[in-house]
Amino acid sequence: MSNKHLLIVLSGPSGVGKGTIVKKLLKRGGYAVSVSCTTRAPRAGEIDGKSYFFITKEQFEEKIARGGFLEYSNHFENYYGTPRDFVESQLEKSDVILEIEVDGALQVKRVMPDALLIMVLPPDAEELKARLLKRGTEDRETIEKRISRMQYEISKKDEYDRTVINDDLLKTVAQIEKIIANKKGDIK
């Protein structure tokens, strides 16, 4: 990886606000966002090539066989993965943000040790459950699966470079920008 641009990996439990944080960072400029591949169906309003690259299970498995992912996983009965060529091409132009799950983030760190891993956590489990219910994109059974996975994800926080608690969106975004600026200062 070039010392000029930084790969920033954001992860944390579902509903913690990663997507909203990424949108705020992108509005401030200076970042590209990686688009992941998935085999899950699009949610309302998601756009192929922008939200995700929506591909079939067969297409995904062909890409795995060719070594086409920085990381991938089978999560909640669907594949998710970060296309290696897309990220590498974006890093030529700007810092890149990956919004991915915990196991994938740790895979990326092994492949690209200079990547900055930031875990975003909720203030508490009840707040996370309320956010997932308010989002209204999943049924209660899926929400319960996501809540139970939260403990596993939190158990990996010591493998991350930094951890932030998203209790105030603007404060959290500012904290992440400071972490990024400090890391970029370290690699120049």
Side-chain angles (χ1 to χ4, degrees):
M1 185 172 74
S2 160
N3 282 347
K4 186 176 176 188
H5 299 295
L6 181 63
L7 179 60
I8 303 141
V9 181
L10 279 180
S11 46
S14 292
V16 78
K18 300 177 301 288
T20 304
I21 290 167
V22 169
K23 285 177 188 165
K24 291 281 187 196
L25 290 168
L26 290 174
K27 278 186 179 178
R28 293 177 186 216
Y31 303 104
V33 68
S34 176
V35 178
S36 295
C37 295
T38 185
T39 58
R40 78 159 168 76
R43 293 180 184 148
E46 289 184 328
I47 300 166
D48 185 45
K50 186 172 181 181
S51 307
Y52 284 93
F53 295 112
F54 294 100
I55 62 176
T56 66
K57 181 179 179 186
E58 292 75 22
Q59 290 170 315
F60 200 103
E61 289 173 345
E62 287 171 16
K63 199 166 179 73
I64 291 171
R66 292 191 318 266
F69 292 106
L70 285 177
E71 59 79 33
Y72 69 91
S73 67
N74 192 314
H75 192 64
F76 296 114
E77 300 170 21
N78 289 294
Y79 279 117
Y80 294 84
T82 303
R84 178 187 295 268
D85 56 353
F86 184 82
V87 171
E88 290 174 348
S89 70
Q90 295 300 305
L91 280 170
E92 294 295 319
K93 300 178 265 187
S94 67
D95 294 336
V96 176
I97 301 172
L98 295 182
E99 179 192 336
I100 58 176
E101 57 85 37
V102 172
D103 293 328
L106 297 176
Q107 288 177 44
V108 169
K109 188 71 168 181
R110 285 190 288 275
V111 175
M112 300 181 115
D114 289 338
L116 173 62
L117 270 59
I118 302 171
M119 181 176 285
V120 181
L121 297 173
D124 58 56
E126 287 307 310
E127 173 68 20
L128 181 68
K129 189 172 185 175
R131 290 178 189 179
L132 288 170
L133 288 168
K134 184 178 176 186
R135 188 163 78 178
T137 56
E138 290 129 346
D139 59 33
R140 286 196 175 270
E141 182 182 336
T142 302
I143 289 171
E144 291 303 322
K145 284 181 185 177
R146 293 189 187 283
I147 295 293
S148 65
R149 180 158 170 88
M150 179 179 67
Q151 294 306 318
Y152 168 75
E153 292 170 324
I154 291 171
S155 76
K156 299 294 185 181
K157 71 180 182 182
D158 292 340
E159 296 181 55
Y160 277 65
D161 299 304
R162 297 295 301 271
T163 302
V164 296
I165 295 173
N166 187 15
D167 55 355
D168 175 290
L169 178 62
L170 295 179
K171 185 179 95 181
T172 302
V173 171
Q175 188 177 2
I176 289 172
E177 286 182 313
K178 185 176 180 182
I179 291 167
I180 292 167
N182 287 341
K183 175 71 174 180
K184 287 184 72 102
D186 289 347
I187 63 173
K188 285 185 179 175

